[in-house]
Amino acid sequence: MAVLKASKTEQSLRKKGFIQDNSHHHYFEFWHEDKLISSTYTSHNDQDINDYLIRAMSKQCLMEKQFFIEFIKCTKSKDDYIDLLVSKGEIPSKR
């Protein structure tokens, strides 16, 4: 069962191009060429993100759970994420 630190998750999302918008939760949006592609959020309480929430956040970000974990742990990059989105048809290929 995977567990991620909320602060590390938020830091990693920002580092990889997600824009943070604070309201009741910490919202993170990923924009590509002026189009909103995906969004997710974390709670203000800074608790660890458990397996259930990791799965939910990964779906919101249009990626598999293992990809999301690697994305947060920085073994997957923003370019890897964009390649994934292109392969899924979520964004057009530049090639």
Side-chain angles (χ1 to χ4, degrees), residues 13-36:
L13 289 171
R14 285 190 300 270
K15 180 179 176 183
K16 303 213 174 84
F18 280 74
I19 298 169
Q20 184 173 353
D21 177 26
N22 292 324
S23 58
H24 179 65
H25 295 282
H26 296 164
Y27 282 92
F28 294 89
E29 299 176 335
F30 185 80
W31 292 78
H32 183 75
E33 297 181 354
D34 298 324
K35 179 182 174 193
L36 178 62

Side-chain angles (χ1 to χ4, degrees), residues 4-78:
L4 298 171
K5 296 285 185 195
S7 58
K8 168 71 174 159
T9 300
E10 292 174 358
Q11 177 186 12
S12 186
L13 289 171
R14 285 190 300 270
K15 180 179 176 183
K16 303 213 174 84
F18 280 74
I19 298 169
Q20 184 173 353
D21 177 26
N22 292 324
S23 58
H24 179 65
H25 295 282
H26 296 164
Y27 282 92
F28 294 89
E29 299 176 335
F30 185 80
W31 292 78
H32 183 75
E33 297 181 354
D34 298 324
K35 179 182 174 193
L36 178 62
I37 304 300
S38 64
S39 63
T40 190
Y41 63 92
T42 60
S43 180
H44 280 288
N45 63 16
D46 202 37
Q47 290 181 340
D48 288 347
I49 299 171
N50 65 26
D51 199 55
Y52 174 80
L53 293 175
I54 290 170
R55 190 172 300 113
M57 291 177 75
S58 67
K59 286 180 183 179
Q60 292 165 350
C61 292
L62 308 174
M63 56 179 88
E64 298 295 322
K65 179 183 155 195
Q66 189 58 43
F67 189 101
F68 183 79
I69 292 168
E70 293 174 20
F71 189 70
I72 297 305
K73 291 184 175 182
C74 294
T75 56
K76 296 284 187 190
S77 67
K78 179 180 178 180

